[in-house]
Amino acid sequence: MDERKTALIFKAFCDENRIRILKLLRGGEKCACKLLEEMSISQPTLSHHMKILCDSGIVTGRKEGKWMHYSISAEGVRIAKEYLTELTTANPTRENEPCCGE
């Protein structure tokens, strides 16, 4: 598991605005203009949050005319779940290692 990619994934979930964006996207693809209306934030702020969400792989974007359309990526979600499971699952082989040179 790549630590850098793991950090990018979980960074996506570490902001209230990004959580709100994800909740809005649960209903399906949304144009950036609709997200701007529902979020009451500036376009640069939305772009910042969408870059983090897209870099994580949780959200994908596609350009249509002058607007971006965003949706939740099923593959990105699958990977995030896999990483969370791997991070939080006990590893018995490591638990049995002696501590402090014992």
Side-chain angles (χ1 to χ4, degrees):
M1 178 173 31
D2 179 287
E3 287 87 3
R4 184 179 176 283
K5 180 64 177 171
T6 303
L8 284 174
I9 289 170
F10 292 105
K11 180 178 180 180
F13 299 108
C14 292
D15 182 90
E16 291 175 22
N17 284 317
R18 291 192 288 275
I19 297 298
R20 188 159 177 227
I21 290 167
L22 288 170
K23 288 171 79 174
L24 291 169
L25 293 177
R26 289 186 339 185
E29 183 180 78
K30 290 224 183 330
C31 176
C33 64
K34 291 295 180 192
L35 293 172
L36 281 169
E37 287 174 12
E38 297 195 40
M39 296 288 297
S40 299
I41 58 176
S42 69
Q43 189 278 324
T45 300
L46 178 65
S47 291
H48 167 76
H49 290 304
M50 297 317 297
K51 178 174 179 4
I52 292 169
L53 288 166
C54 288
D55 285 351
S56 76
I58 301 296
V59 170
T60 58
R62 66 174 185 85
K63 190 161 178 74
E64 187 175 300
K66 68 175 189 168
W67 291 103
M68 288 294 291
H69 295 256
Y70 296 100
S71 59
I72 294 175
S73 164
E75 177 66 9
V77 169
R78 184 193 65 76
I79 291 169
K81 287 178 181 179
E82 183 180 296
Y83 279 32
L84 180 61
T85 299
E86 190 171 333
L87 280 171
T88 57
T89 301
N91 185 347
T93 59
R94 300 224 34 150
E95 290 176 9
N96 295 328
E97 291 178 2
C99 178
C100 305
E102 295 174 6

